[in-house]
Amino acid sequence: MSDSPMVSLLIPIYNVERYLEECLDSAVNQTLKDIEIICINDGSTDSSPDIIRRYMANDGRVRMIDKANSGYGSSMNMGLDAATGKYIGILESDDYLELDALEVMVAAAEKNDSQIVRSDFFLFWSQPEVRNQRFYWVDECLEGVIDPQTETDVFLRKSSIWSCLYRRDFLEENDIRFLETPGASYQDTGFNFKTWACCTNAVMLNRAFLHYRQDNEASSVNSSGKVFCICDEYEEIVRYINEHFSSQKHLRGILSRMRVDNYEWNYQRLSDDLKKEFLPRMHEDILRDEVEGFVDERYFDPDKMLLRRLIAHDPELYALVIEGRKTGSRKGLVKLLAVKGGIGSVLRYFRYRIAY
């Protein structure tokens, strides 16, 4: 390995002994050998540090940052500070890569002088039997070199920052960092937005390399304890836009759509008690985008605009509509609205539908 490797692969680690060897095997066995593998141990209390040390003893490219537990954002920023490679890759410690992933992605970046290389990924289950399902984030319609400032659909797709390579000087020149909130909750949201907002040359590869595990019960997406962390990410994005792109109003328009999508996802995964706690903040933030004039209807289809209006102007009705949609039919939705909200809820719902 050279003094300045081609790729710095950052692996944030916290109590993942069950999956870590599979992850690290996929890293050390990459066909691209000119890499450094930086394991950021965020205060693990299981055998994860011992596993890392074993790989370090066998492969000089592996090193560990051993730190007290302070969360994903802090870990990733420490990894960025320690990286020396031309490109930055991110590999979550319960996922794994195809062995030629970095070689193919680097070749595409070098050929096109790209700031970002984006590839597709697999949704991966190991139980009850191994199953991989391609996500199709990148398909034949999107593949090739794009400018995210005109191909703005990339902002609205799943963040999945771990299926990309980023040129390190691009991240540093644009001050692209992670928000250092506790735990592991949504910190990829702000980082993802910042990269697309600054990028003018990205190459999309119509091939899946990363296997994104879906059956890790300890994964942060199954934790309901960090109800408002998504709000922190959006406040950070607004700060970044105001500091770096104050004249580019279209970014706030894109952000208004992203906020609806991500707040909805957060809301729908919460318990009933936490839904009631989160809904007022959801209402407040989405209404503020409208009041400040940042809602851009170009980024909303009719149904998403309907839901946005309900959150902003009738959040209690929105909650009933979301519950009613789980019945799977228009008739079931109307029945639930009538039973739980009365005929007034039914009438209000159809007025919103007619208007939007």
Side-chain angles (χ1 to χ4, degrees):
M1 189 184 74
S2 61
D3 292 337
S4 296
M6 187 61 75
V7 175
S8 297
L9 187 61
L10 309 185
I11 307 179
I13 294 165
Y14 178 70
N15 287 353
V16 73
E17 61 184 5
R18 182 177 177 184
Y19 308 115
L20 186 53
E21 290 183 355
E22 184 175 37
C23 171
L24 291 176
D25 282 343
S26 78
V28 299
N29 290 308
Q30 286 291 304
T31 57
L32 179 67
K33 303 303 181 185
D34 189 19
I35 65 175
E36 62 179 354
I37 300 163
I38 303 175
C39 300
I40 309 102
N41 176 43
D42 189 26
S44 295
T45 56
D46 65 0
S47 66
S48 294
D50 294 330
I51 294 172
I52 299 167
R53 292 187 190 98
R54 177 155 42 86
Y55 279 81
M56 291 170 62
N58 293 324
D59 192 325
R61 300 172 302 168
V62 182
R63 55 192 175 109
M64 176 167 61
I65 297 173
D66 200 10
K67 60 189 276 289
N69 182 258
S70 58
Y72 184 91
S74 172
S75 293
M76 293 306 298
N77 285 339
M78 291 181 73
L80 291 174
D81 290 338
T84 61
K86 182 175 181 179
Y87 297 96
I88 299 287
I90 298 167
L91 177 59
E92 302 292 337
S93 51
D94 54 354
D95 300 337
Y96 70 93
L97 282 168
E98 294 289 306
L99 298 186
D100 62 344
L102 297 182
E103 181 177 6
V104 174
M105 295 175 77
V106 165
E110 293 286 284
K111 178 182 178 181
N112 297 287
D113 192 28
S114 294
Q115 298 152 319
I116 299 175
V117 179
R118 151 71 69 176
S119 62
D120 200 18
F121 56 90
F122 299 102
L123 301 177
F124 166 61
W125 292 262
S126 57
Q127 300 292 334
E129 59 186 22
V130 174
R131 179 162 62 96
N132 284 285
Q133 176 183 316
R134 186 167 166 180
F135 190 83
Y136 286 103
W137 200 107
V138 181
D139 56 22
E140 60 185 12
C141 296
L142 189 61
E143 67 179 329
V145 178
I146 70 162
D147 178 355
Q149 305 316 306
T150 55
E151 298 279 352
T152 55
D153 182 55
V154 297
F155 285 89
L156 304 179
R157 301 191 181 202
K158 182 177 177 61
S159 295
S160 52
I161 60 175
W162 24 255
S163 61
C164 294
L165 280 186
Y166 305 94
R167 212 168 64 209
R168 183 163 61 92
D169 61 0
F170 161 73
L171 298 179
E172 292 174 349
E173 289 165 5
N174 290 287
D175 191 29
I176 297 174
R177 309 276 289 176
F178 288 84
L179 185 63
E180 296 191 9
T181 44
S185 297
Y186 301 107
Q187 287 95 338
D188 59 340
T189 303
F191 184 88
N192 179 68
F193 184 94
K194 294 170 188 177
T195 59
W196 291 133
C198 296
C199 182
T200 56
N201 181 336
V203 60
M204 304 288 167
L205 299 181
N206 183 18
R207 182 178 164 190
F209 294 109
L210 183 125
H211 298 258
Y212 173 40
R213 188 178 296 276
Q214 302 298 295
D215 51 11
N216 179 2
E217 294 179 357
S219 175
S220 62
V221 298
N222 293 320
S223 170
S224 59
K226 306 177 183 73
V227 179
F228 297 102
C229 288
I230 187 63
C231 308
D232 297 334
E233 287 296 311
Y234 277 87
E235 292 305 309
E236 165 64 8
I237 294 171
V238 170
R239 180 203 66 78
Y240 189 83
I241 291 174
N242 289 340
E243 183 174 326
H244 296 272
F245 299 103
S246 58
S247 64
Q248 298 189 36
K249 187 177 178 181
H250 78 284
L251 290 176
R252 287 298 303 268
I254 293 169
L255 190 64
S256 73
R257 169 59 195 270
M258 290 176 59
R259 192 193 299 268
V260 172
D261 288 344
N262 283 294
Y263 277 34
E264 275 208 290
W265 185 86
N266 189 53
Y267 174 83
Q268 293 186 43
R269 78 186 181 92
L270 296 172
S271 67
D272 288 344
D273 287 345
L274 291 173
K275 280 184 170 71
K276 292 177 183 177
E277 184 178 346
F278 181 66
L279 186 60
R281 175 65 184 272
M282 185 178 180
H283 158 70
E284 176 186 336
D285 289 358
I286 288 174
L287 178 60
R288 186 170 70 243
D289 279 344
E290 179 181 312
V291 170
E292 293 178 353
F294 292 120
V295 175
D296 189 331
E297 295 191 10
R298 292 177 299 172
Y299 301 113
F300 289 84
D301 58 48
D303 186 65
K304 187 63 68 172
M305 180 59 79
L306 167 66
L307 294 174
R308 192 203 65 76
R309 289 288 298 177
L310 288 173
I311 298 166
H313 298 284
D314 203 335
E316 291 76 17
L317 180 58
Y318 167 80
L320 290 176
V321 169
I322 293 302
E323 185 178 353
R325 286 188 172 191
K326 293 178 181 178
T327 66
S329 69
R330 176 72 65 83
K331 183 177 180 181
L333 167 61
V334 172
K335 182 177 179 181
L336 183 138
L337 289 176
V339 170
K340 292 198 171 185
I343 191 64
S345 292
V346 177
L347 293 174
R348 295 203 316 276
Y349 171 70
F350 280 105
R351 280 201 297 269
Y352 276 108
R353 284 199 62 87
I354 291 169
Y356 299 99

